[in-house]
Amino acid sequence: KKRKWNSDKLQRILEAKIIKKNNTRITTSDIKSKLSAREAAIIFIEVWIKKENWIYALVQKPDEEFPTIVQICQANSIKPFFEINALHPNSYSQKEKNAENLYRLIWSPILPYLKYIDSIHFIPSGMLHLLAFTALKDPDSKLKLTQKYQLYQYATFRDFLRIGQDDHIQINSGAVFGNLTFDDVTGNQHTLIDNGKNTQTVSAFQNL
C-alpha cells in the first residue's frame, strides 16, 4: 500500500524518526544526491498508529524528488519468524516456504517501486534488525534477494553518505570467524590457521 507525502502528521513522524535513527539531521535530499542510476535507498521505520506497531519503508530513488512511503505490515505479523532458532528445520533460513512468506510480507509491498533497480542501500528497524535479508526468497522466480539485487546494509545512513570519503584510516589486517560453536564453554583450546602459514591458539568463547 503506497502512501504519498500528503499526510503532514505521518511525514513529521517519519522525518523525526529519520533524524533520531541517524543521530543527525540527514535529509532525503542528502541520500538522493548520493544515489546513482539504478540504485535505491530504503529506510525501514516502525510507527505506532492507533496502538498498533506498523512497519513502513521509505523508498528513495535518484530520479524522484521525495521518497515513496510504503506500508509494509504490522510488526506482530513477523514476530513468530524470529521466535524459532535459525537452525531449526522450520526456521525461515531452513524452510523455503517460510522464506517465501517473509518475502511476501516484507518485500512484496516494495517491489512495485523497484523497477529497473539493481542495487539497494538500506537500514532496518526494530525486529528487522533480526532478519537475514539474504534469506528472503521470491516465491515466483525462486530467486533469493541477493540474486536479484546487490544489497548494502547500514546501521545508519551516515555510513552510506561517507562512502568514498577519505577517513584517513588504514587497515593492515583483519580477522574472519565462521562456524563458531557458541555452546563450547569448556575452556578448551582451539587452533586458528592463518593461510596455512601461521597458527595461533586461543581459548573457546565463554559465557556468550
Side-chain angles (χ1 to χ4, degrees), residues 176-195:
V176 178
F177 299 91
N179 197 28
L180 298 176
T181 305
F182 289 101
D183 291 336
D184 188 351
V185 294
T186 61
N188 294 334
Q189 298 292 307
H190 298 269
T191 299
L192 300 181
I193 301 176
D194 177 17
N195 294 329

Side-chain angles (χ1 to χ4, degrees), residues 106-122:
I106 296 170
W107 206 260
S108 288
I110 311 172
L111 206 54
Y113 315 108
L114 298 179
K115 291 181 180 179
Y116 312 115
I117 296 298
D118 299 323
S119 299
I120 297 174
H121 305 266
F122 71 98

Side-chain angles (χ1 to χ4, degrees), residues 6 51 57 70 76 80 87 102 107 116-117 125-126 161-162 197:
N6 54 10
K51 298 182 180 181
V70 184
N76 282 339
L87 298 179
L102 262 178
W107 206 260
Y116 312 115
I117 296 298
S125 178
L161 296 176
R162 287 207 305 261
K197 298 177 181 179

Side-chain angles (χ1 to χ4, degrees), residues 2 4-5 27-43 57-70 107 109-122 149 157 160:
K2 182 177 179 180
K4 291 285 189 180
W5 282 87
T27 67
T28 52
S29 296
D30 296 329
I31 297 170
K32 174 187 170 183
S33 66
K34 194 73 175 179
L35 294 172
S36 302
R38 305 183 74 88
E39 287 189 326
I42 300 177
I43 306 174
L58 278 70
V59 183
Q60 179 69 63
K61 293 189 284 188
D63 58 344
E64 294 183 355
E65 184 177 0
F66 298 110
T68 299
I69 302 175
V70 184
W107 206 260
I110 311 172
L111 206 54
Y113 315 108
L114 298 179
K115 291 181 180 179
Y116 312 115
I117 296 298
D118 299 323
S119 299
I120 297 174
H121 305 266
F122 71 98
Y149 309 100
F157 267 111
F160 168 62

Side-chain angles (χ1 to χ4, degrees), residues 70-110:
V70 184
Q71 190 180 74
I72 304 300
C73 63
Q74 286 185 283
N76 282 339
S77 65
I78 64 173
K79 187 177 180 180
F81 291 96
F82 305 123
E83 294 176 341
I84 303 175
N85 186 286
L87 298 179
H88 192 279
N90 288 328
S91 71
Y92 71 89
S93 62
Q94 304 292 329
K95 191 171 183 177
E96 183 178 273
K97 182 179 179 180
N98 286 337
E100 293 176 351
N101 287 338
L102 262 178
Y103 182 98
R104 291 187 184 97
L105 282 169
I106 296 170
W107 206 260
S108 288
I110 311 172

Side-chain angles (χ1 to χ4, degrees), residues 130-198:
L130 303 174
L131 175 63
F133 281 81
T134 55
L136 297 184
K137 194 167 190 177
D138 186 333
D140 297 322
S141 66
K142 301 299 180 181
L143 295 176
K144 289 191 174 182
L145 212 55
T146 49
Q147 294 175 291
K148 301 177 66 173
Y149 309 100
Q150 187 72 41
L151 297 178
Y152 302 92
Q153 182 172 342
Y154 305 88
T156 74
F157 267 111
R158 286 182 301 166
D159 300 324
F160 168 62
L161 296 176
R162 287 207 305 261
I163 290 177
Q165 295 181 4
D166 183 7
D167 291 332
H168 303 288
I169 298 175
Q170 183 176 356
I171 301 175
N172 297 317
S173 63
V176 178
F177 299 91
N179 197 28
L180 298 176
T181 305
F182 289 101
D183 291 336
D184 188 351
V185 294
T186 61
N188 294 334
Q189 298 292 307
H190 298 269
T191 299
L192 300 181
I193 301 176
D194 177 17
N195 294 329
K197 298 177 181 179
N198 302 312

